Amino acid sequence: QVQLVESGGGLVQAGGSLRLSCAASRIIFSRNAMAWYRQVPGKQRGLVASITNGGIPNYVDSVKGRFTISRDNARNTVYLQMNSLKPDDTAVYYCHPLASTYWGQGTQVTVSS
């Protein structure tokens, strides 16, 4: 059974930081590049960052220099360190193994101005 369990969301003031974690089943983690997506009500879910099996990251322009994606292959966990948060970062954040149909339950991030 594939599991993706996100944690680490919450309420933070603009300029603050949060660290999201996604613990995945080994079978899905070891085979896939991993990604974080986010979604706000009324909009499509969009890619935030991804990381290959070998640890090469990729970011959308809006988070470059502020967010860092990383993975711990021994713990089957992917992280998203979010610094200098802005109100526009408010969304539900989802963990997603690329090339799969699996999604986590999401974790809410709210950034107040």
Side-chain angles (χ1 to χ4, degrees), residues 5-46:
V5 181
E6 297 114 332
S7 61
L11 173 64
V12 64
Q13 289 188 331
S17 298
L18 285 172
R19 188 194 195 203
L20 306 183
S21 299
C22 173
S25 302
R26 186 181 68 85
I27 191 170
I28 196 71
F29 190 85
S30 62
R31 295 179 181 180
N32 285 277
M34 299 293 294
W36 287 95
Y37 282 69
R38 63 187 179 188
Q39 187 172 26
V40 297
K43 292 190 176 181
Q44 282 191 325
R45 197 170 294 184

Side-chain angles (χ1 to χ4, degrees), residues 61-108:
D61 286 345
S62 60
V63 307
K64 283 181 180 177
R66 300 189 299 121
F67 290 12
T68 302
I69 189 171
S70 61
R71 63 190 292 160
D72 185 336
N73 292 335
R75 290 181 168 83
N76 300 324
T77 301
V78 61
Y79 304 97
L80 187 68
Q81 177 67 44
M82 305 185 294
N83 299 329
S84 302
L85 282 160
K86 305 175 181 179
D88 284 349
D89 296 318
T90 295
V92 179
Y93 285 70
Y94 296 90
C95 174
H96 176 56
L98 295 176
S100 83
T101 59
Y102 300 108
W103 293 87
Q105 82 285 357
T107 185
Q108 176 71 46

Side-chain angles (χ1 to χ4, degrees), residues 44-62:
Q44 282 191 325
R45 197 170 294 184
L47 177 67
V48 175
S50 63
I51 187 166
T52 67
N53 283 358
I56 298 173
N58 186 54
Y59 303 94
V60 296
D61 286 345
S62 60

